[in-house]
Amino acid sequence: MPAPTSPDKPEGLRTGTLSTADISFFVISAAAPLTVMAGVAPIAIVLGGIGAPAGYLLAGITLAVFAVGFTTMTRHVKSGGAFYAYITRGLGKPVGIAAALLAMLGYNGMEIGVYGLLGTATADTAHALWGIDIPWLPVSIAGLVLIWYGGFRSIDFGAKVLGVLLVAETGILVLLAGGVLLEGGADGLSLASFTPGNVLVPGSAAVLAFAFTAFTGFESTVIYRREARNPARTIPRATYIAVCFLGLFYAFIVWTVIQAFGDDKVVEAAAGDTGGLFFAAITTYVGGWAADLMHVFIVTSVLASLLAFHNAINRYGLALAEEGVLPQVLGRVHPRHRSPYVAGIAQTVLGLAVVLGFAAADADPYTQLLLWVNTPGGIGLMALQLLAALAVPLYFRRVRHDEGLLRTVVAPVVAAVLLTGAIALVVSKIDVFTGASATVNTVLVALVPGVFLLGLLLAYRLRRTRPEVYANFAAEPAEPASDPTAEQGEEPSCPHPTSSSSTPESAPPNSPATPLSPSATD
C-alpha cells in the first residue's frame, strides 16, 4: 500500500506498475512491426534484392551492441529524463539540454507524422474491404482524440491495450510465415538471402538505412523507469527483448515473403506491386480472409505505434517540466490515473496544429505529412543514440564502478562507430525516404543540427539567467528502494554480451557510482 501523500504534494506517476512484458509491449508497438513489414520491407527488397533480410539482422546486431552500454547506465542513472540524463552524465549539461530538445523533436516527429499514415491506411482499408472512399483528415483527427484518451488513462491501461494490439499485428505475420513454410514456398525453401553474394550488393546501403529506421523507439524503455518494477532488472530485460525480437522477427518475415514468391521472382513482384506484396502473399498461402484481417491490423498497428510514442513524449514533457526547462504546468499528474495528462493535452494540441497545417496546405498525408515529419524525427533519435553511446565511456571514466570494460568502453565505442555509419547511410539515402526535392531534403536534415544548436544556446542562457535550473538539470531523484522480489527470474533467452566482472544492482545516491566531482558533468 503506497504511503499517503500530503495535500500540498500531489502523487506522481504510478510506481512499480510495469513489468518487463508491459515495457516490451510499449517499445515494440512503437516500431509498428506490421506496418514496417507490409509498407516498407517490399521497398527494401526492390533496392537490395533477396539479401534484404540480412540488413535487418545487421541493424539489430548494431543496436544490440548499443544496448550493452545503454542498459549498463540504467543501474547508475535514475533520472526520468532517459536519453538526456544519460548524455548529461557523460557529455555535460549543455549537450544534455540540447539532447533534451532533440528528443522532443525526435519523438514528436515520429508520432505526429504517423497521423497522416493513420488517415491513408484507414482509407485504404475501407476501400479494400467495402469499396468506399473516406477522407483522411477526419480519421486523423479522430485518431488524435483516441490517442489522447489512451495517454490520459493509467499506464497499465495503455500496456493492456498495446499488448492486445501487438499480439494481433505480429500474429497475422506469423500466420503468413506459417502458411509459406507449410507450403514450402514457391520453389522450395532457400537460404540464399544470407549468402555474401546476395548481401553485398549495390543496394545494401539503402536496405541498411531502411532497416535502422525500422527499430525506432526500441530505446524508449528507459523512459518508463519510474513506473517499472525493479527498474535495474526490468529496463535492461525489456531493451534486449525488444531489439532481439525486432531484429530476428523482421529478418524472418522478410525471408518468408521472399520464399513465397521465389528468389528469382520476388524483386519483380515487389517492384510491380510494392504496397500489395504482403497481401498477395497471405492471400495465396492463407486465404483472402487473412488479407482482410491484415488490412484491419495495419490500422491497429498504426494506432499502437501512436499510443506508444504519445506516452513516451508525455513522460519526456513531464521530466523537462520538473527540471524547470518547460512550463511547470506540464508537470501535473492526474490524481486518479497518475498520468502526465497536461503534457498529453499539450502534445495532442501540437499534433492537431501540425495535421491541420498540412491539410490547409493541401499536402499529401503520406508523402508529405508522414515522410516529411517522420524524417527529421528518425534522424534525431539516431543522433540521440549516438550521443548516448559516446556518453557511456566518458561517464564510467569519471565514476568508481564494478562494471566490466566490455560494457563501459568496448561496446559503446563500437556502437558509436556503427551508429555514425548508420546515420551517414540514412542521410545519404534521404531522397529514397522522402521522395522530395533537394531543397526540402536539405531543410529536413538541417532541422536536427539546428535544434541541437538551439538547445546549446538555451543551455547557456539557462546558466546565465536561471542558474538554479541549470545546476539541478538531470539531477538524481530521491528514489524509494525497489522491491527485491519483483521481476526475479532468468535473463531473457536472447543472448547479449556480458563481462566477467560483476554487475551489481543500481547503487544508492551516495554510493561510489556517483561522480567524483560536481564539475565532471558540467
Side-chain angles (χ1 to χ4, degrees), residues 128-222:
L129 298 185
W130 304 295
I132 61 175
D133 295 316
I134 59 176
W136 70 271
L137 183 58
V139 174
S140 297
I141 293 175
L144 278 157
V145 175
L146 185 62
I147 297 305
W148 162 79
Y149 179 73
F152 171 75
R153 291 291 303 271
S154 61
I155 192 68
D156 50 335
F157 171 82
K160 290 181 176 66
V161 170
L162 291 178
V164 172
L165 297 182
L166 183 61
V167 168
E169 66 176 300
T170 55
I172 197 71
L173 289 172
V174 170
L175 186 64
L176 165 61
V180 173
L181 294 178
L182 287 174
E183 292 285 336
D187 304 311
L189 302 180
S190 164
L191 295 177
S193 292
F194 303 99
T195 60
N198 289 316
V199 174
L200 302 175
V201 296
S204 296
V207 173
L208 280 170
F210 276 102
F212 275 103
T213 61
F215 289 79
T216 303
F218 91 94
E219 75 295 323
S220 60
T221 51
V222 293

Side-chain angles (χ1 to χ4, degrees), residues 177-474:
V180 173
L181 294 178
L182 287 174
E183 292 285 336
D187 304 311
L189 302 180
S190 164
L191 295 177
S193 292
F194 303 99
T195 60
N198 289 316
V199 174
L200 302 175
V201 296
S204 296
V207 173
L208 280 170
F210 276 102
F212 275 103
T213 61
F215 289 79
T216 303
F218 91 94
E219 75 295 323
S220 60
T221 51
V222 293
I223 296 174
Y224 301 100
R225 179 182 181 89
R226 295 192 207 176
E227 295 152 295
R229 302 174 194 165
N230 197 354
R233 290 178 178 270
T234 305
I235 299 301
R237 286 178 174 179
T239 304
Y240 283 119
I241 287 172
V243 71
C244 289
F245 173 82
L246 290 173
L248 295 173
F249 189 71
Y250 285 154
F252 172 66
I253 294 299
V254 176
W255 174 77
T256 57
V257 168
I258 291 171
Q259 304 313 299
F261 292 90
D263 292 344
D264 297 333
K265 299 177 182 177
V266 67
V267 175
E268 180 182 353
D273 187 13
T274 303
L277 187 73
F278 273 66
F279 296 101
I282 200 168
T283 298
T284 300
Y285 288 92
V286 182
W289 63 270
D292 292 342
L293 274 181
M294 182 176 281
H295 275 292
V296 174
F297 289 161
I298 281 181
V299 175
T300 61
S301 170
V302 174
L303 286 170
S305 178
L306 285 166
L307 180 57
F309 274 115
H310 180 69
N311 276 302
I313 295 163
N314 294 349
R315 279 147 184 81
Y316 257 112
L318 172 69
L320 287 171
E322 292 173 341
E323 301 277 10
V325 175
L326 292 181
Q328 188 176 7
V329 67
L330 296 178
R332 291 182 182 175
V333 174
H334 194 274
R336 178 184 174 190
H337 298 304
R338 309 278 286 279
S339 61
Y341 74 107
V342 178
I345 293 171
Q347 201 279 325
T348 301
V349 170
L350 174 63
L352 179 63
V354 174
V355 169
L356 291 178
F358 273 81
D362 199 26
D364 185 87
Y366 185 89
T367 60
Q368 293 175 309
L369 174 55
L370 171 67
L371 299 182
W372 290 12
V373 177
N374 264 193
T375 296
I379 296 173
L381 291 183
M382 293 181 73
L384 283 173
Q385 292 172 0
L386 173 59
L387 290 172
L390 293 172
V392 173
L394 294 175
Y395 168 76
F396 282 108
R397 191 183 68 177
R398 295 169 177 156
V399 302
R400 292 186 293 270
H401 62 87
D402 295 320
E403 306 289 355
L405 190 67
L406 176 61
R407 289 180 176 273
T408 59
V409 178
V410 177
V413 170
V414 171
V417 172
L418 294 174
L419 285 167
T420 300
I423 294 171
L425 279 176
V426 171
V427 172
S428 69
K429 302 296 180 181
I430 195 70
D431 57 321
V432 179
F433 284 93
T434 65
S437 66
T439 301
V440 171
N441 288 334
T442 300
V443 171
L444 295 178
V445 173
L447 277 173
V448 175
V451 168
F452 186 78
L453 177 60
L454 183 64
L456 291 176
L457 295 175
L458 173 62
Y460 293 123
R461 184 174 184 274
L462 284 174
R463 185 166 66 179
R464 187 179 67 255
T465 62
R466 302 173 66 192
E468 72 287 350
V469 171
Y470 182 84
N472 293 319
F473 183 77

